[in-house]
Each structure stands twice: as structure tokens, then as C-alpha cells.
Amino acid sequence: MSTAEETAGGEAQPWGEVTPDAARRLLLAAVEAFAERGYHATTTRDIASRAGMSPAALYIHYKTKEELLHRISRIGHEKALEILRTASRAEGSATERLADAVSSFVRWHAGGRTTARVVQYELDSLGPDARAEILGLRRKVDAEVRGIIEEGVRSGEFDVVDVHGTTLAVLSLCIDVARWFNVDGPRTPEEVGALYADLVLRMVGAGGPGAAQR
Amino acid sequence: MSTAEETAGGEAQPWGEVTPDAARRLLLAAVEAFAERGYHATTTRDIASRAGMSPAALYIHYKTKEELLHRISRIGHEKALEILRTASRAEGSATERLADAVSSFVRWHAGGRTTARVVQYELDSLGPDARAEILGLRRKVDAEVRGIIEEGVRSGEFDVVDVHGTTLAVLSLCIDVARWFNVDGPRTPEEVGALYADLVLRMVGAGGPGAAQR
DNA sequence: GCTGAGGGTGAGCGGGCGCTTAGCGAGCCC
DNA sequence: GGGCTCGCTAAGCGCCCGCTCACCCTCAGC
């Protein structure tokens, strides 16, 4: 049904690359705490106790609290980029690839809302260097979506005047899902992904004149 | 050109209703500080010094730091609601009113990004009671936009399957402007407002089948 | 000119923060 | 089985937070 398959579920078995087991537990605890209360409102004692460890244990695996946020942010952005790249480089028309990209990107933001919230909304809490590195990843994310839209315009599938502005709006729409999505709410990540893919295709005028419906 | 005229400029002469002059200066300082660094990362000393006062002066006009956020959030939400109501209750087709609502709502989020950021993104820092009050205002905001979309569907102007979901997406798109908009960037609030009005009309299938362009 | 009220200040409180350090105990090498 | 390594803890340092309190100016009323 989709090209980016099990990745979009969210937190199936992520953070697998974080290697000492204790470090991974701390990182996971930090993600939860940051998502619930925000970076600045979270204390190192809170993170450590969620991981079942003493406050000092954190500093064996991470130099500072900010390093935790940096690691979370980088891994999360790389995951997001990978999801978009998978959809973007699949076979199919620009229309199919854009729909696939949006729906899997949205499913990631909805299903893995905990992670996505931290990744998308705590960027400003990073120091200048870490922030600059993450902004580089964001530019790649932007380029990936813009690429699909440009190809659709070139092939005549899409009707878009302001490609940059529309790219921004499409990404913005997907990212904001992490702000409002509620796991206990009436919609599943899959439903939101399908709805948003449809809305985005309308935004780019896919289907050509006369085909408002998908 | 627009029904909601000078309100959308952002911070022309807002906070006029905050009455002792010192209280208004403190509130304005708090808005700036919260927008730049976030609620939890802002200190009462920072707010007071931005307002040119001593740290203790804050507590003459406000009981706690949270009361500042609460006041800002309520005034901001009331302003946002007023903007949408003005557009919603104007004369004209649902298409015209939706375009007007989106463009003025977006102009407010872009032009008054400082305020909008605090209003839209610091909600979770409020206590339960204040939070519940603000959520009530948000439901009214949602109802206003949903009303326009429902009327457009009824009149046959719009082609929307999931009215609630589409309303959510339209509002989400507008609100997220406060996250990414950059005053020093290439776009003016007016340009973003016009682009977004166009995109939203496409999302609701305005113009009927065969009229992808506005 | 005295008085009272109210907006403002300087100094500082109790507490919780990020982070450090000395030391402990389990497991591996020889 | 003695000693080393390493993941971890208990205790706590220094700092800065939100907030308070005793006091001080300024100015209106008489």
C-alpha cells in the first residue's frame, strides 16, 4: 500500500543505533520528558528517574542535558529525511510520490508524536552550533519535497505558481500534526495521512484541470 | 481589499486594554521574552529588566509569572477570534469569506509573530484552569472556520468530504505560520496571506470541478 | 506643610537546578 | 584470588530561580 512501510508506525523499535543499553534508556526517558513538559521545564533528575537511575548516571553517557536534545534531534531529523527520501526516490508519477511522501511523513509525525514534538519544536533550545547542524538537515528535507513538486510541475501533473511557498506550506502542514495530534483522539495516523495526502494533491492542483477529486 | 483591515498588521497599538501603563510595559516585555526564549527559559528578572524595572515591580501588577502568560494568551486568543469573526460574518460568498478569513488570520500570525508564537505554542505551560479556559476559546475559533466551510459545502461552492479534518488542516496551516515566519525573510505577511488563501481554496475544492485556478 | 496611599526598590529567602566528585561493588584477566 | 576496570550511586557544591518584605519616594487632599 505504501513505499515507506514499517518506518511510519512511529516508535516500533527506534533508537536502535544508540548503543549502551543504559544510554538508550536515558535517551528514551528524555524524549518522553521533553515531549511532555518541554526541554527547559524538564530536569536532569526527572530524566534519570524515568530511566530508573540516579541523577549522576546521566553524566556518564552524556556530557550535558543539551547533548541529549542534540542527539534526539539529529536522529529524529535523519529518520524524517530518510522517510521522505524513500518516498521521493520510489518509482511512479510525481503525484504518486508526493502522496506517498506526505502520507508517510504525516504518519511518522502522528504515530511518533512524542519524538516528533521534540524534534520539531525544541530546536530553539539548542546552542548555535548544534542548531546550525540541524538546520542543515532541515534544508535537505525541504529540498526533497521541493524536488517532487518541481518534477510534477515540469511533467505538467501539477499546477503551482509559487513552488517555494507551496513547499513550505506542505511541510508546515505535515509538521504541525505533531502539535495537535492526540493518540486518544478520533483519528488514526493512517487516516490523517490519507486525508493530508489528498489535501496536498489538491494544493498542487494534481490531476489537471477538471479533476478536483482524486 | 480586505474586510478585516488594520487588525491584521499585528502589533500596531495592541494591548491597549491593559491599563496601568507599567502593567502594559511588563506585559509587552513578557511577550517579547516568551517569544524569544520560551516561557520556562524566561526569568522574571529578564522580563522586569526589559521593562526597565526592578524584579520586584512585576509582583505589584501580577501575582505570578504564570498570570502574565495567562493574560497574554487570553487577549491573544480573543484577538484571533475577533479577526475570524469579522471575516466570517462579512457579506459575500463562502469562497470570498474563507479567503478573507485565511488571509487575515495568516497576516496576524506573520505580522504579529512575536505575540502569535506565545499564544499558540506556550499553552501547555499554563495550569489546568487557565488551560481549560483557553481551550474553550480555541473551540470557538475552530467553530468559526468550520462554519464557513459547512456553508460552502451546502451552497455547492466547496467539495469537501471530511469537514472536521479539513477545518483542522486549514487552521493548522495558518497557525504554523507563527513557527516559521521570519520578519527578515523574503515574504511579507500580505504575500503569505494571499498565497495561503489560494492554497486553502484549492484544499476545499472551491470554484467547482474544472476550475483549479482561482 | 503634614499625612496617607500606592507604585516602586534593594536585599535576600528557601529551594531546586545542572553538574561534580569520592567511593562502591560486580565482573574479567592473570 | 588479588587487583583493575567500569557502570553506577550518595552526597553535595555553587548558582540562580520565583517570589517576599521592609522600606522609600512622589504626589493629592486639606
Side-chain angles (χ1 to χ4, degrees), chain A residues 37 40-41 117 120-121 124 138 159 162 164-166 168-169 172-173 175-176 179-180 187 195-196 199 202-205 209-210 212-213, chain B residues 37 40-41 117 120-121 124 138 159 162 164-166 168-169 172-173 175-176 179-180 187 195-196 199 202-205 209-210 212-213:
Chain A
R37 315 153 60 86
H40 285 290
R117 271 207 139 191
Q120 300 293 1
Y121 292 104
D124 290 342
R138 291 219 178 186
D159 164 39
D162 181 349
H164 276 80
T166 304
L168 203 53
S172 168
L173 193 63
I175 287 171
D176 200 54
R179 185 181 55 86
W180 61 260
R187 297 162 204 280
L195 171 65
Y196 270 46
L199 290 173
R202 289 173 173 225
M203 282 166 72
V204 298
Q213 337 254 43
Chain B
R37 315 151 60 86
H40 286 292
R117 273 207 137 190
Q120 301 293 1
Y121 292 105
D124 291 341
R138 291 218 178 186
D159 164 41
D162 181 350
H164 276 80
T166 304
L168 203 53
S172 168
L173 193 63
I175 286 171
D176 200 54
R179 185 181 56 86
W180 61 260
R187 297 163 205 278
L195 171 64
Y196 270 46
L199 290 173
R202 289 173 173 223
M203 283 166 72
V204 298
Q213 336 254 41

Side-chain angles (χ1 to χ4, degrees), chain A residues 83-174:
Chain A
I83 288 171
L84 286 178
R85 283 203 169 135
T86 302
S88 166
R89 294 174 183 179
E91 296 205 350
S93 64
T95 303
E96 289 164 345
R97 284 180 292 136
L98 183 59
D100 203 34
V102 167
S103 83
S104 46
F105 200 51
V106 165
R107 287 201 315 273
W108 184 74
H109 278 85
R113 183 183 180 257
T114 315
T115 305
R117 271 207 139 191
V118 179
V119 165
Q120 300 293 1
Y121 292 104
E122 298 290 348
L123 181 65
D124 290 342
S125 303
L126 287 171
D129 292 355
R131 195 167 185 278
E133 185 203 327
I134 302 297
L135 284 177
L137 284 170
R138 291 219 178 186
R139 273 189 293 274
K140 289 186 186 173
V141 165
D142 190 86
E144 213 64 45
V145 173
R146 197 173 59 245
I148 308 179
I149 294 179
E150 277 168 352
E151 286 170 37
V153 170
R154 222 175 298 134
S155 74
E157 290 171 69
F158 299 163
D159 164 39
V160 173
V161 179
D162 181 349
V163 171
H164 276 80
T166 304
T167 302
L168 203 53
V170 168
L171 277 171
S172 168
L173 193 63
C174 296

Side-chain angles (χ1 to χ4, degrees), chain B residues 20-174:
Chain B
D21 182 71
R24 180 168 52 249
R25 268 159 50 220
L26 282 165
L27 201 104
L28 201 56
V31 170
E32 283 174 21
F34 291 162
E36 268 178 38
R37 315 151 60 86
Y39 175 78
H40 286 292
T42 299
T43 69
T44 54
R45 285 162 176 83
D46 186 19
I47 297 170
S49 86
R50 277 178 197 249
M53 301 164 104
S54 79
L58 197 151
Y59 293 91
I60 296 164
H61 301 282
Y62 302 95
K63 274 208 295 284
T64 62
K65 177 178 152 187
E66 195 197 316
E67 192 191 328
L68 265 168
L69 179 59
H70 185 189
R71 282 258 240 280
I72 292 167
S73 200
R74 188 175 54 226
I75 295 174
H77 274 89
E78 281 165 357
K79 189 76 191 169
L81 184 53
E82 183 199 312
I83 288 172
L84 286 178
R85 283 202 169 138
T86 303
S88 166
R89 296 175 180 179
E91 296 202 351
S93 65
T95 304
E96 288 164 345
R97 283 180 294 136
L98 183 60
D100 203 33
V102 167
S103 82
S104 45
F105 199 52
V106 164
R107 286 199 316 272
W108 183 72
H109 278 84
R113 182 184 182 255
T114 315
T115 305
R117 273 207 137 190
V118 179
V119 165
Q120 301 293 1
Y121 292 105
E122 298 291 349
L123 180 66
D124 291 341
S125 302
L126 287 172
D129 292 353
R131 196 166 184 278
E133 185 203 326
I134 301 297
L135 285 177
L137 284 170
R138 291 218 178 186
R139 273 189 292 276
K140 290 186 184 172
V141 165
D142 191 84
E144 213 63 46
V145 173
R146 197 172 61 246
I148 308 179
I149 293 179
E150 277 167 353
E151 287 170 38
V153 170
R154 224 175 298 136
S155 74
E157 289 171 69
F158 300 162
D159 164 41
V160 173
V161 178
D162 181 350
V163 171
H164 276 80
T166 304
T167 302
L168 203 53
V170 168
L171 276 172
S172 168
L173 193 63
C174 295

